[in-house]
Amino acid sequence: MNAPLQPSSSATAKPAITLLIAAPRGFCAGVDRAIEIVERALERYGAPVYVRHEIVHNKYVVDGLRQKGAIFVEELDEVPDNAPVVFSAHGVPKAVPQEAERRGLDYLDATCPLVSKVHRQAERQLEADRHIVFVGHRGHPEVIGTMGQVPERTMTLVETVEDVAALEFTDNDPLAFLTQTTLSVDDTAEIVDALKAKFPHIVGPKAEDICYATSNRQAAVKQIAPGSDLVLVIGAGNSSNSLRLVEVSEKCGTNAKLIRRAADIDPAWLEGVGTLGLTAGASAPEELVREVVDKIAEWREVEEHTLVTTEEKMVFKLPRQLTQ
């Protein structure tokens, strides 16, 4: 009597997939610093510590800090008297710390030092009597914070090359330009080129304002996207630098999906995908990257490769209130 046929191992084996993981990815020095400021404030003052706006654009991070005792508010009038408050990494208009001082609030400024550098540049251009053209995305917290460093009507926001074409300044108007730190490197270069072509006398920063982490993460995506069938970007829908990573991949000709975490992945996306690219925006922790890798491994046999384009060693100092 013949033995019953056994199912072949190939019939049950998971199909293989090559996973190209970008490096650098995830947290940057400014995000690390901002999160540590909230955590140290909780240790020093005890819960609750209030945080004006999301400390960084990531629900996982915000929920984790909330569980430790942070309370997130939109405006300072929601902060009780005598309570400690932290300002987010994106920066705030000058009126916010002025109001905190007026009320006698103990506040900590978690603004990324690279954003603060743009704020100081804005002040210097104002002192030089130059009108500032600011390249950024309307409504983004960093843009609101930067435009709030100078009086109204001393800074004009442009988002596109078309916006530059519509500017009506003359050759006699003293002008300077600055940019948001989390923009597309390529798109911003086009806008800056348009500004310089239209206003040859315009003054720019000595070094570009787009931060090292934004540039590095976009460069890393340019390495993984051409060899991938699909790229997954871990980040929030309101995270400028994460959205730019999606755009960079698509400009390389590779479809990209923005996900908050592994649960957002539709298995149907992987149909026909032999090589999957993976990266994370500057506000997304490494835990979420590993979570995604583990989820993919439930469906496919993963061969994992990390493509390193540069090493990041940047570290920013904490506010003196937390180190004294």
Coordinates of all heavy atoms in Angstrom, one line a residue, residues 4-69:
P4 N 0.7 7.7 2.1 CA -0.1 9.0 1.7 C 0.9 10.0 1.3 O 2.0 10.2 1.9 CB -0.9 9.4 2.9 CG -0.2 8.7 4.1 CD 0.4 7.4 3.5
L5 N 0.5 10.8 0.3 CA 1.4 11.9 -0.2 C 1.5 13.0 0.9 O 0.5 13.4 1.5 CB 0.8 12.5 -1.5 CG 0.9 11.5 -2.7 CD1 0.2 12.2 -3.9 CD2 2.3 11.2 -3.1
Q6 N 2.7 13.5 1.1 CA 2.9 14.6 2.0 C 2.9 15.9 1.2 O 3.5 16.0 0.1 CB 4.2 14.4 2.8 CG 4.2 13.2 3.7 CD 3.2 13.3 4.8 OE1 3.0 14.3 5.4 NE2 2.6 12.1 5.1
P7 N 2.4 17.0 1.8 CA 2.5 18.3 1.1 C 3.9 18.7 1.0 O 4.7 18.5 1.9 CB 1.7 19.2 1.9 CG 1.6 18.6 3.3 CD 1.6 17.1 3.1
S8 N 4.3 19.2 -0.2 CA 5.7 19.6 -0.4 C 6.0 20.8 0.4 O 5.1 21.7 0.7 CB 6.0 19.9 -1.9 OG 5.2 21.0 -2.3
S9 N 7.2 21.0 0.9 CA 7.6 22.1 1.7 C 7.4 23.4 0.9 O 7.1 24.5 1.4 CB 9.0 22.0 2.2 OG 9.9 21.9 1.1
S10 N 7.6 23.3 -0.5 CA 7.5 24.5 -1.3 C 6.1 25.1 -1.3 O 5.8 26.2 -1.6 CB 8.0 24.2 -2.7 OG 7.2 23.2 -3.3
A11 N 5.1 24.1 -1.1 CA 3.7 24.6 -1.1 C 3.3 25.4 0.1 O 2.4 26.2 0.0 CB 2.8 23.3 -1.2
T12 N 4.0 25.2 1.2 CA 3.7 26.0 2.4 C 4.7 27.1 2.7 O 4.5 27.9 3.6 CB 3.6 25.0 3.6 OG1 4.9 24.3 3.7 CG2 2.5 24.0 3.4
A13 N 5.9 27.1 2.0 CA 6.9 28.1 2.3 C 6.4 29.5 1.9 O 5.7 29.7 0.9 CB 8.2 27.8 1.5
K14 N 6.8 30.4 2.7 CA 6.5 31.8 2.4 C 7.4 32.3 1.3 O 8.6 32.0 1.2 CB 6.7 32.7 3.7 CG 5.8 32.4 4.8 CD 6.1 33.3 6.0 CE 7.3 32.9 6.7 NZ 7.5 33.6 8.0
P15 N 6.8 33.1 0.4 CA 7.6 33.6 -0.7 C 8.7 34.6 -0.2 O 8.5 35.3 0.8 CB 6.6 34.3 -1.6 CG 5.4 34.6 -0.8 CD 5.4 33.5 0.2
A16 N 9.8 34.6 -0.9 CA 10.9 35.4 -0.4 C 10.7 36.9 -0.8 O 10.0 37.2 -1.8 CB 12.2 35.0 -1.0
I17 N 11.3 37.8 0.0 CA 11.3 39.2 -0.3 C 12.6 39.8 0.2 O 13.1 39.4 1.2 CB 10.1 40.0 0.3 CG1 9.9 41.4 -0.2 CG2 10.2 40.0 1.8 CD1 8.6 42.1 0.1
T18 N 13.2 40.7 -0.6 CA 14.4 41.4 -0.2 C 14.0 42.7 0.4 O 13.2 43.5 -0.2 CB 15.3 41.6 -1.5 OG1 15.7 40.3 -2.0 CG2 16.6 42.4 -1.0
L19 N 14.5 43.0 1.5 CA 14.2 44.2 2.3 C 15.4 45.1 2.3 O 16.4 44.8 2.8 CB 13.7 43.9 3.7 CG 13.1 45.0 4.5 CD1 11.8 45.6 3.8 CD2 12.7 44.5 5.9
L20 N 15.3 46.3 1.6 CA 16.4 47.3 1.6 C 16.0 48.4 2.6 O 15.0 49.1 2.4 CB 16.5 47.9 0.2 CG 16.8 46.9 -0.9 CD1 17.0 47.7 -2.2 CD2 18.1 46.1 -0.6
I21 N 16.8 48.4 3.7 CA 16.5 49.4 4.8 C 17.5 50.6 4.7 O 18.7 50.4 4.6 CB 16.6 48.7 6.1 CG1 15.7 47.5 6.2 CG2 16.2 49.7 7.2 CD1 15.7 46.8 7.5
A22 N 16.9 51.8 4.6 CA 17.7 53.0 4.4 C 18.4 53.3 5.7 O 17.9 53.2 6.8 CB 16.9 54.1 3.9
A23 N 19.6 53.8 5.6 CA 20.3 54.4 6.7 C 21.2 55.6 6.2 O 21.9 55.5 5.2 CB 21.3 53.4 7.4
P24 N 21.0 56.7 6.9 CA 20.3 57.0 8.1 C 18.7 57.0 7.9 O 18.2 57.2 6.8 CB 20.7 58.4 8.6 CG 21.8 58.7 7.7 CD 21.7 58.0 6.4
R25 N 18.0 56.8 9.0 CA 16.6 56.8 9.1 C 16.2 57.1 10.5 O 17.0 57.1 11.4 CB 16.0 55.4 8.7 CG 16.4 54.3 9.7 CD 15.9 52.9 9.4 NE 16.4 52.0 10.4 CZ 17.6 51.4 10.3 NH1 18.4 51.6 9.2 NH2 18.0 50.5 11.2
G26 N 14.9 57.4 10.7 CA 14.4 57.6 12.0 C 14.9 58.8 12.8 O 15.3 59.8 12.2
F27 N 14.9 58.7 14.1 CA 15.2 59.8 15.0 C 16.5 60.6 14.6 O 17.5 60.0 14.2 CB 15.4 59.4 16.4 CG 14.1 59.2 17.2 CD1 14.2 58.7 18.5 CD2 12.9 59.4 16.6 CE1 13.0 58.5 19.2 CE2 11.7 59.2 17.3 CZ 11.8 58.7 18.7
C28 N 16.4 61.9 14.6 CA 17.5 62.8 14.4 C 17.9 63.4 15.8 O 17.2 63.2 16.8 CB 17.2 63.9 13.4 SG 15.8 65.0 14.0
A29 N 19.0 64.2 15.8 CA 19.4 64.7 17.1 C 18.4 65.6 17.7 O 18.3 65.7 18.9 CB 20.8 65.4 16.9
G30 N 17.7 66.4 16.9 CA 16.7 67.4 17.4 C 15.6 66.7 18.1 O 15.1 67.1 19.1
V31 N 15.1 65.6 17.5 CA 14.0 64.8 18.0 C 14.5 64.1 19.3 O 13.8 64.1 20.3 CB 13.5 63.8 17.0 CG1 12.6 62.7 17.7 CG2 12.8 64.5 15.9
D32 N 15.7 63.5 19.3 CA 16.2 62.9 20.5 C 16.2 63.9 21.6 O 15.8 63.6 22.8 CB 17.6 62.4 20.2 CG 17.7 61.0 19.6 OD1 16.8 60.2 19.9 OD2 18.6 60.7 18.9
R33 N 16.7 65.1 21.3 CA 16.8 66.1 22.4 C 15.4 66.5 22.9 O 15.3 66.6 24.1 CB 17.5 67.3 21.8 CG 17.6 68.5 22.7 CD 18.3 69.7 22.0 NE 18.5 70.9 22.8 CZ 17.6 71.8 22.8 NH1 16.5 71.8 22.1 NH2 17.7 72.9 23.6
A34 N 14.5 66.7 22.0 CA 13.1 67.1 22.4 C 12.5 66.1 23.3 O 11.9 66.5 24.4 CB 12.3 67.4 21.2
I35 N 12.6 64.8 23.0 CA 12.0 63.8 23.8 C 12.7 63.7 25.2 O 12.0 63.6 26.2 CB 12.1 62.4 23.1 CG1 11.2 62.5 21.8 CG2 11.6 61.3 24.0 CD1 11.4 61.3 20.9
E36 N 14.0 63.8 25.2 CA 14.7 63.8 26.4 C 14.4 64.9 27.3 O 14.3 64.8 28.6 CB 16.2 63.7 26.2 CG 17.1 63.5 27.4 CD 18.5 63.3 27.2 OE1 19.0 63.3 26.0 OE2 19.3 63.1 28.2
I37 N 14.1 66.1 26.7 CA 13.7 67.3 27.5 C 12.4 67.0 28.3 O 12.3 67.3 29.5 CB 13.6 68.5 26.6 CG1 15.0 69.0 26.2 CG2 12.8 69.6 27.3 CD1 14.9 70.1 25.2
V38 N 11.4 66.4 27.6 CA 10.2 66.1 28.3 C 10.4 65.0 29.4 O 9.9 65.1 30.5 CB 9.1 65.6 27.2 CG1 7.8 65.2 28.0 CG2 8.8 66.6 26.2
E39 N 11.2 64.0 29.0 CA 11.4 62.9 30.0 C 12.2 63.4 31.2 O 11.8 63.1 32.4 CB 12.2 61.8 29.4 CG 11.4 61.0 28.3 CD 12.2 60.0 27.6 OE1 13.4 60.1 27.5 OE2 11.6 59.0 27.0
R40 N 13.2 64.3 31.0 CA 13.9 64.8 32.2 C 13.1 65.8 33.0 O 13.2 65.9 34.2 CB 15.2 65.5 31.7 CG 16.2 64.5 31.2 CD 17.6 65.0 31.5 NE 18.7 64.2 31.0 CZ 19.9 64.5 31.2 NH1 20.3 65.5 32.0 NH2 20.9 63.7 30.7
A41 N 12.2 66.6 32.3 CA 11.3 67.5 33.0 C 10.4 66.7 33.9 O 10.1 67.1 35.0 CB 10.5 68.3 32.0
L42 N 9.9 65.5 33.4 CA 9.0 64.7 34.2 C 9.8 64.2 35.5 O 9.2 64.1 36.6 CB 8.5 63.5 33.4 CG 7.4 63.9 32.4 CD1 7.2 62.8 31.4 CD2 6.0 64.1 33.1
E43 N 11.0 63.9 35.3 CA 11.8 63.4 36.4 C 12.1 64.5 37.4 O 12.0 64.3 38.6 CB 13.2 62.9 35.9 CG 13.1 61.6 35.1 CD 14.4 61.2 34.5 OE1 15.5 61.9 34.8 OE2 14.5 60.2 33.7
R44 N 12.3 65.7 36.9 CA 12.7 66.9 37.8 C 11.5 67.4 38.5 O 11.5 67.7 39.7 CB 13.4 68.0 37.0 CG 13.6 69.3 37.7 CD 14.6 70.1 37.1 NE 15.9 69.6 37.3 CZ 17.1 70.3 37.2 NH1 17.0 71.6 37.0 NH2 18.2 69.7 37.3
Y45 N 10.4 67.7 37.7 CA 9.2 68.3 38.3 C 8.1 67.4 38.8 O 7.3 67.7 39.5 CB 8.6 69.3 37.2 CG 9.5 70.4 36.7 CD1 10.1 70.3 35.5 CD2 9.9 71.4 37.5 CE1 10.9 71.3 35.0 CE2 10.7 72.4 37.1 CZ 11.2 72.3 35.8 OH 12.1 73.3 35.4
G46 N 8.2 66.1 38.2 CA 7.1 65.2 38.5 C 5.9 65.5 37.6 O 5.8 66.6 37.0
A47 N 5.0 64.5 37.4 CA 3.9 64.7 36.5 C 2.8 65.6 37.2 O 2.7 65.6 38.5 CB 3.3 63.3 36.2
P48 N 2.1 66.4 36.5 CA 2.1 66.4 35.0 C 3.1 67.5 34.5 O 3.3 68.5 35.2 CB 0.7 66.8 34.6 CG 0.2 67.7 35.7 CD 0.9 67.1 37.0
V49 N 3.7 67.3 33.4 CA 4.4 68.4 32.7 C 3.6 68.7 31.4 O 3.2 67.7 30.7 CB 5.8 67.9 32.3 CG1 6.5 68.8 31.3 CG2 6.7 67.8 33.5
Y50 N 3.4 69.9 31.1 CA 2.6 70.3 29.9 C 3.5 70.5 28.7 O 4.6 70.9 28.9 CB 1.8 71.6 30.2 CG 0.6 71.3 31.2 CD1 0.8 71.2 32.6 CD2 -0.7 71.1 30.7 CE1 -0.2 71.0 33.4 CE2 -1.7 70.9 31.6 CZ -1.5 70.8 32.9 OH -2.5 70.5 33.8
V51 N 3.0 70.1 27.6 CA 3.7 70.3 26.3 C 2.8 71.0 25.3 O 1.7 70.6 25.1 CB 4.2 68.9 25.7 CG1 5.0 69.2 24.5 CG2 4.9 68.1 26.8
R52 N 3.3 72.2 24.8 CA 2.5 72.9 23.9 C 2.7 72.3 22.5 O 3.8 72.3 21.9 CB 2.9 74.4 23.8 CG 2.1 75.2 22.9 CD 2.6 76.7 22.9 NE 1.9 77.5 22.0 CZ 2.1 77.6 20.6 NH1 3.0 76.8 20.1 NH2 1.3 78.4 19.9
H53 N 1.7 71.7 21.9 CA 1.6 71.0 20.7 C 2.4 69.7 20.8 O 3.0 69.4 21.8 CB 2.2 71.8 19.5 CG 1.4 73.0 19.1 ND1 1.8 73.9 18.2 CD2 0.2 73.5 19.6 CE1 0.9 74.9 18.0 NE2 -0.1 74.6 18.9
E54 N 2.3 68.8 19.8 CA 3.0 67.6 19.8 C 4.5 67.9 19.9 O 5.0 68.7 19.1 CB 2.7 66.8 18.5 CG 1.3 66.2 18.4 CD 1.2 65.4 17.1 OE1 1.9 65.6 16.2 OE2 0.3 64.5 17.1
I55 N 5.2 67.2 20.8 CA 6.6 67.5 20.9 C 7.3 67.2 19.6 O 8.2 67.9 19.2 CB 7.2 66.7 22.1 CG1 8.7 67.1 22.4 CG2 7.1 65.2 21.9 CD1 8.8 68.5 22.9
V56 N 6.9 66.1 19.0 CA 7.4 65.7 17.6 C 6.1 65.1 16.9 O 5.2 64.7 17.6 CB 8.6 64.8 17.6 CG1 9.8 65.4 18.2 CG2 8.2 63.5 18.3
H57 N 6.2 65.1 15.6 CA 5.0 64.5 14.9 C 5.1 63.0 14.8 O 5.4 62.4 13.8 CB 5.0 65.1 13.5 CG 4.5 66.5 13.4 ND1 4.9 67.4 12.4 CD2 3.7 67.2 14.2 CE1 4.3 68.6 12.6 NE2 3.6 68.5 13.7
N58 N 4.7 62.4 15.9 CA 4.6 60.9 15.9 C 3.7 60.5 17.1 O 4.0 60.7 18.2 CB 6.0 60.3 16.1 CG 5.9 58.8 15.9 OD1 5.6 58.0 16.8 ND2 6.2 58.3 14.6
K59 N 2.6 59.8 16.7 CA 1.6 59.4 17.7 C 2.2 58.5 18.7 O 1.9 58.5 19.9 CB 0.4 58.9 17.0 CG -0.8 58.5 18.0 CD -2.0 58.0 17.2 CE -3.2 57.8 18.2 NZ -2.9 56.8 19.2
Y60 N 3.0 57.5 18.3 CA 3.6 56.5 19.1 C 4.4 57.2 20.2 O 4.4 56.8 21.4 CB 4.5 55.6 18.3 CG 5.2 54.5 19.1 CD1 4.6 53.3 19.3 CD2 6.5 54.7 19.5 CE1 5.2 52.3 20.0 CE2 7.2 53.7 20.2 CZ 6.5 52.5 20.4 OH 7.2 51.5 21.1
V61 N 5.2 58.2 19.8 CA 6.1 58.9 20.8 C 5.2 59.7 21.7 O 5.4 59.7 22.9 CB 7.1 59.8 20.0 CG1 7.8 60.7 21.0 CG2 8.0 59.0 19.2
V62 N 4.2 60.4 21.2 CA 3.4 61.3 22.0 C 2.6 60.5 23.0 O 2.5 60.8 24.2 CB 2.4 62.1 21.1 CG1 1.3 62.8 21.9 CG2 3.2 63.2 20.3
D63 N 2.0 59.3 22.6 CA 1.3 58.5 23.5 C 2.2 57.9 24.6 O 1.8 57.8 25.7 CB 0.6 57.3 22.7 CG -0.5 57.8 21.9 OD1 -1.0 58.9 22.1 OD2 -1.0 57.0 21.0
G64 N 3.4 57.6 24.2 CA 4.4 57.1 25.2 C 4.7 58.1 26.3 O 4.7 57.8 27.5
L65 N 4.9 59.4 25.9 CA 5.1 60.5 26.8 C 3.9 60.8 27.7 O 4.0 61.1 28.9 CB 5.6 61.7 26.1 CG 7.0 61.6 25.5 CD1 7.3 62.8 24.6 CD2 8.1 61.4 26.5
R66 N 2.7 60.7 27.0 CA 1.5 60.9 27.7 C 1.3 59.9 28.9 O 0.9 60.2 30.0 CB 0.3 60.8 26.8 CG -1.1 61.2 27.4 CD -2.2 61.2 26.3 NE -2.1 62.3 25.5 CZ -2.0 62.3 24.1 NH1 -1.8 61.1 23.6 NH2 -2.0 63.4 23.4
Q67 N 1.7 58.6 28.6 CA 1.6 57.6 29.6 C 2.5 57.9 30.8 O 2.3 57.4 31.9 CB 1.9 56.2 29.0 CG 0.8 55.7 28.1 CD 1.2 54.5 27.3 OE1 2.3 53.9 27.6 NE2 0.4 54.0 26.4
K68 N 3.6 58.6 30.5 CA 4.6 58.9 31.6 C 4.1 60.2 32.4 O 4.8 60.5 33.4 CB 5.9 59.2 31.0 CG 6.6 57.9 30.4 CD 7.9 58.2 29.8 CE 8.5 56.9 29.1 NZ 9.8 57.2 28.5
G69 N 3.1 60.9 31.9 CA 2.6 62.0 32.7 C 2.6 63.3 31.9 O 2.3 64.4 32.5

